[in-house]
Amino acid sequence: MTSSSSVVARRRDLLVKMRCINESSDDEDPILNEEYAFREHNEFDDPVHSTDLHKFENSETGYFRDLADIYARFGLHSYNSRMGTNFQLSRVDKYINYGVFSYSLTFEATNPADGSCVTFQARVLRDDNVKGSYYRIMTEGCRITPEIPGTREIIHRWEFDAEVYKDTLPEWYSDDVLLLSNDQFYQVQDSDVLENDWLNLYAEVAMYTLKENDMSLFESWLPLEIKKVVVQTFEDVKSNEKLKAGNAIFYFSFKNLNAPPHGLCQDHRVIIRRSTDGLPGHVCLDFKSCTGHNIFKASSV
């Protein structure tokens, strides 16, 4: 565990740096900024308990690597969607686990446009006890790591409105809605999947939720073949612009083309609800399986 004297020393150094930043500004409260910077520094670098920090070796595989990779890719997706970028995850360096389902991640991502590598921070939450679904994953923010803590955008906490998020996920849509003129629904085209690689990410997160308690490597269930995606939204947008709606429901049909020896290659139908609350970086996905959780071979008697 970190000694109190070293924490005090780091805090003193950090406060000195923050005072230098704020000396030129009469509009900001340096005390508030200093306190915020220190909290952020601890959140991503210095956990209360050393056992909450997980650093990865380059060759490390297993459950925690799979979890961190999925969460980092989802956090990066929220950044790319907001900033119009296309950063791709290179590796997760570390994460700090707060509570059971709260993760503060630090990871590297590459910009395909110029090959540059950038360090990011993201806060991701999850829950598997949600009314009407069996898995929820949320980002509270993703940003480029600041050189000095507290000098980049604030990562805000989710503040759930019980009235907004009380509804359960719907049942699978009726085929009739695609035959009729229905402005709520849009059947995603193959070209849309090619242009929006985050659709593959959503399918992979859905697959991850199905096998999370299995101890085999996640990559042993990949690749996935997306067969059909239908998106529904009440937002006033046309055709494939529905893919960009902040609040939408996606009906995914896909198949895992690979499986470990004890698993099955089979078709899956999963409903995914995407919700936002207007704050930068806040994206929430709720998952509901319409094919059950049994993706494993029956044990021989």
Side-chain angles (χ1 to χ4, degrees), residues 14-200:
L14 184 59
L15 295 185
V16 170
K17 292 179 180 179
M18 287 303 300
R19 286 192 182 100
C20 292
I21 293 172
N22 288 294
E23 282 176 352
S24 60
S25 175
D26 296 329
D27 299 326
E28 297 179 352
D29 186 335
I31 300 300
L32 292 178
N33 282 343
E34 290 164 2
E35 291 295 329
Y36 170 70
F38 184 66
R39 289 197 305 271
E40 281 215 328
H41 176 68
N42 278 355
E43 177 178 354
F44 288 96
D45 295 293
D46 292 312
V48 176
H49 304 291
S50 59
T51 53
D52 294 335
L53 173 63
H54 193 120
K55 292 185 177 180
F56 290 101
E57 302 293 336
N58 288 337
S59 59
E60 184 175 343
T61 60
Y63 173 86
F64 293 106
R65 166 65 78 180
D66 288 344
L67 176 149
D69 284 354
I70 283 288
Y71 289 3
R73 288 174 63 200
F74 180 50
L76 193 58
H77 160 61
S78 73
Y79 180 89
N80 285 333
S81 298
R82 182 164 56 95
M83 305 301 291
T85 52
N86 189 32
F87 282 96
Q88 301 296 310
L89 178 67
S90 298
R91 69 176 186 275
V92 179
D93 298 321
K94 62 183 177 181
Y95 71 81
I96 298 176
N97 185 198
Y98 293 98
V100 180
F101 295 136
S102 177
Y103 300 85
S104 295
L105 304 107
T106 301
F107 55 90
E108 309 293 323
T110 302
N111 184 352
D114 57 15
S116 60
C117 190
V118 179
T119 303
F120 284 85
Q121 293 173 335
R123 187 192 296 145
V124 179
L125 313 176
R126 60 145 297 184
D127 192 358
D128 58 0
N129 187 26
V130 182
K131 180 181 178 181
S133 69
Y134 67 92
Y135 194 98
R136 169 178 285 174
I137 182 172
M138 310 155 57
T139 61
E140 289 194 321
C142 180
R143 66 187 179 195
I144 295 175
T145 302
E147 294 184 8
I148 300 175
T151 59
R152 284 192 181 271
E153 63 184 90
I154 297 174
I155 293 180
H156 296 276
R157 302 287 183 184
W158 271 88
E159 297 292 342
F160 276 103
D161 183 334
E163 290 302 310
V164 174
Y165 295 98
K166 69 179 181 179
D167 293 336
T168 60
L169 271 69
E171 298 300 320
W172 196 261
Y173 66 90
S174 168
D175 289 337
D176 292 342
V177 301
L178 300 180
L179 300 177
L180 304 173
S181 177
N182 193 320
D183 290 338
Q184 292 182 23
F185 291 84
Y186 170 71
Q187 182 170 337
V188 175
Q189 304 301 304
D190 291 343
S191 58
D192 296 323
V193 177
L194 293 174
E195 294 172 6
N196 299 274
D197 61 354
W198 55 265
L199 289 168
N200 289 288

